Amino acid sequence: MARSSLEDMPVLPLAESFALTAAYNADSFPDKVNLGQGVYRDENSRPWVLPSVRSAEERLHKQNLNHEYLPITGHSPFNQKARQLIFGRELANHQNIRTIQTVAGTGANHLAALFCARYVRPKNVFISDPSWDNHYSIWETAGPDITQKLYPYYDAVARSFNFEGTMAELEDSAEENDIVVLHPCAHNPTGHDPTHDQWRKIAEIVGRKRLFVVFDSAYQGFASGDPDADAWAIRNFYSTFFGYSSPLSKNPPAGMLVCQSLSKNFGLYGERIGALHLITHPSVSAEGAYSHLIRLVRSEISCPALFGARIVDTIWSDSELRTHWEKDVKTMALRIQGVRVALKSELEKINTKGDWSHITRQIGMFSYTGLSKSQVQLLREVHHVYMLDNGRMSMSGLNGKNIGYVARAIKDVIGQAQ
């Protein structure tokens, strides 16, 4: 009898963030701190249901709605609202933007990678170094024949965005039709974003070399507290290459994809709500490409989930609820900004070795602390403070009760490493 190849399959390790959460949950130490999981927590380290979301839930409950299947493309009112959120009301009406509902941001990224592998057919995909770890896995799974190349996003010495390194890599290595994965705001894991001028220069090289951009928008509104400000890069790229007025590029890229998660900014983690937006040049019909996206969704999930889509639509369809949601988003963003200031202040107050100004120069949920893997392991083993091995800290896990403890723990492991 032929031997099954399944017998030789090795046991793969659990994804680091999930393994870290499991280890944290199993830890009985009373003062343990979880700085690994990328979810919002309130000042008491508890999950926070946005008040605007709770109000929307109550309204939906009173309507005695059914639970029928959605169309393959998703909940049409949700798609419209998601498009308005990411592109603004004026651009969202353009017919060269087509939207399909996805299983959160991960599903949007996976669908984007599948689409690009089958129909764009690039030689290379450029992913920032470092990036959200799932970017590498998604592109390996969806496009195994596409070469992954890393552009040097982070300057470890200056602890800032490596603009020169990024531009040089794209200039030297990117070929026409290659994919570039970009984070429009709150870069994960570094928390460092390009300036507007730098974004314009990135757009220039994208247009000149005719590259295909995939934006991954996971933190719109959550980053700065202003959803419009956090969408600036996406809207600028759209207006530059694909707007109905004459594009600046005479020979623009073939298209662009925008992956949109609504997990963080609506607190709908478990509802797995997201969208993928396909943008084509106004002179080209989007129908053909859009139909292929629809077929990919049909073969994978048939149709997406309904409840989260109804919540987003309910909030964005009511001016009072939308205003309340904007206040909720700002509440989350301001709390994260506040703990950044508090942690930096505490580290400096106790004379922790090093310059900690990068903590407040970063934006969004994460801080790329600069701690080494061995220091992170010491934090976990000695102090029960959990963060990813690369030193990425989820700022949401900090609060007034544990910032002092975490700062002292960081100072201790830095001292032990000397």
Side-chain angles (χ1 to χ4, degrees), residues 115-136:
F115 179 84
C116 289
R118 286 181 176 233
Y119 307 117
V120 180
R121 299 187 183 93
K123 180 179 179 181
N124 307 297
V125 56
F126 287 82
I127 302 173
S128 67
D129 182 19
S131 190
W132 176 47
D133 60 354
N134 213 16
H135 278 148
Y136 312 120

Side-chain angles (χ1 to χ4, degrees), residues 230-281:
D230 292 344
W232 186 90
I234 292 172
R235 296 176 189 180
N236 176 261
F237 269 60
Y238 177 86
S239 298
T240 299
F241 300 120
F242 308 107
Y244 281 178
S245 59
S246 298
L248 297 181
S249 173
K250 294 181 180 179
N251 192 24
M256 182 172 80
L257 287 165
V258 176
C259 307
Q260 181 184 18
S261 169
L262 293 103
S263 294
K264 273 74 175 180
N265 52 12
F266 282 84
L268 295 172
Y269 304 101
E271 302 304 331
R272 312 309 294 140
I273 183 70
L276 179 65
H277 308 277
L278 168 69
I279 298 96
T280 57
H281 193 264

Side-chain angles (χ1 to χ4, degrees), residues 307-371:
F307 187 61
R310 279 176 169 165
I311 290 175
V312 174
D313 176 46
T314 299
I315 290 173
W316 261 64
S317 296
D318 183 278
S319 59
E320 182 180 349
L321 275 183
R322 181 180 172 187
T323 298
H324 200 172
W325 172 77
E326 291 171 345
K327 179 181 177 182
D328 293 341
V329 169
K330 187 165 289 187
T331 294
M332 293 189 289
L334 289 176
R335 195 186 90 74
I336 296 299
Q337 292 168 18
V339 295
R340 285 187 182 278
V341 172
L343 178 61
K344 174 179 177 290
S345 176
E346 189 67 26
L347 288 166
E348 292 173 344
K349 185 174 73 174
I350 62 176
N351 296 317
T352 308
K353 184 178 179 180
D355 179 4
W356 298 98
S357 61
H358 60 284
I359 292 178
T360 51
R361 285 189 280 110
Q362 296 164 348
I363 189 172
M365 181 173 286
F366 303 115
S367 172
Y368 212 50
T369 60
L371 296 173

